[in-house]
Amino acid sequence: MVKVFSEDMNLDFEGTIIDLETIGNFQTQYFDSRRYRNIIPVIFGIICKEELKIISAEDELDIEKLKKEINVNLPKLREPYFAFNSNFETGTLFHSCSYLAKFQGELNKEMYEGKWKAVKELGISNYGDPFHDKGLECSKAWLRGEIDMAIAHNRSCLLKEKDILLLRGYRKPDELEIIKE
């Protein structure tokens, strides 16, 4: 089963911010999309002008259901797509869901900028993030079955990324070579 959380928004930007929470390990020997081939989405979150929506697998048996939900929802999302690390979302969605999402906006100032750094620099609220921008802690919590905490983290990430977009804008995403094996 998948769990859905949503809330109405009234925001002043066009497009959709996408944020994934995942499990799995990076393939650090690669510097292309294969780096993300063992990363598996467990939470799919979006925020747009009128809605914040989070879809979460409730356990590892439900991951395939989540992937189906992602593939149903992604084509319906309003472009442009934004992400804090668009290579991560692009590579993960490509290898896990066989979906090549074209991100037009990168929210980090430079590759590998930590979200915590942008949040601190811009004076953005923590938005109740139980893990204070530590995504690995979210993964561990999800694996322990603490789904509501993982959803709270994703919600806060989406709200922080919305603030980053509104406060400092976006840049062109870094190139990611897509390689399917």
Side-chain angles (χ1 to χ4, degrees):
M1 176 170 273
V2 296
K3 187 172 191 171
V4 179
F5 170 86
S6 67
E7 60 186 277
D8 293 336
M9 294 280 136
N10 184 16
L11 302 173
D12 191 24
F13 73 91
E14 295 299 322
T16 306
I17 298 170
I18 299 172
D19 187 71
L20 302 173
E21 305 305 333
T22 62
I23 57 173
N25 297 307
F26 292 97
Q27 299 295 294
T28 56
Q29 70 268 33
Y30 297 110
F31 296 94
D32 53 45
S33 70
R34 294 174 292 180
R35 181 178 193 81
Y36 308 100
R37 69 180 178 192
N38 291 343
I39 304 292
I40 301 161
V42 295
I43 296 178
F44 174 72
I46 64 108
I47 189 169
C48 60
K49 183 177 244 175
E50 59 278 324
E51 176 183 39
L52 181 149
K53 183 175 183 179
I54 299 169
I55 306 170
S56 176
E58 293 201 68
D59 58 38
E60 290 186 60
L61 298 174
D62 295 325
I63 289 173
E64 290 306 314
K65 292 176 189 163
L66 175 65
K67 289 180 185 180
K68 287 179 186 172
E69 287 291 324
I70 290 171
N71 281 320
V72 166
N73 281 278
L74 267 170
K76 298 176 186 176
L77 299 177
R78 189 174 302 128
E79 292 188 24
Y81 294 161
F82 302 97
F84 190 78
N85 178 356
S86 63
N87 280 353
F88 177 82
E89 268 77 12
T90 299
T92 300
L93 291 168
F94 179 74
H95 286 284
S96 288
C97 301
S98 300
Y99 190 94
L100 184 55
K102 295 287 187 180
F103 286 82
Q104 292 86 12
E106 177 63 67
L107 300 176
N108 62 22
K109 193 182 332 184
E110 60 194 19
M111 189 180 279
Y112 305 121
E113 175 190 30
K115 192 181 301 171
W116 66 269
K117 184 177 178 187
V119 165
K120 182 177 178 183
E121 178 182 298
L122 296 169
I124 295 171
S125 169
N126 187 50
Y127 287 109
D129 183 354
F131 308 116
H132 300 275
D133 294 312
K134 295 178 184 140
L136 183 58
E137 294 305 312
C138 179
S139 297
K140 290 176 185 177
W142 186 90
L143 285 166
R144 288 190 305 265
E146 297 170 355
I147 306 304
D148 289 339
M149 286 184 72
I151 288 173
H153 171 77
N154 187 256
R155 178 184 179 276
S156 72
C157 286
L158 290 165
L159 292 169
K160 291 171 189 177
E161 291 170 26
K162 175 261 306 171
D163 286 353
I164 292 167
L165 175 62
L166 294 174
L167 290 169
R168 75 173 184 198
Y170 63 94
R171 65 181 177 86
K172 181 181 176 214
D174 300 303
E175 293 293 322
L176 177 67
E177 184 180 5
I178 303 295
I179 298 178
K180 181 76 171 178
E181 289 186 330

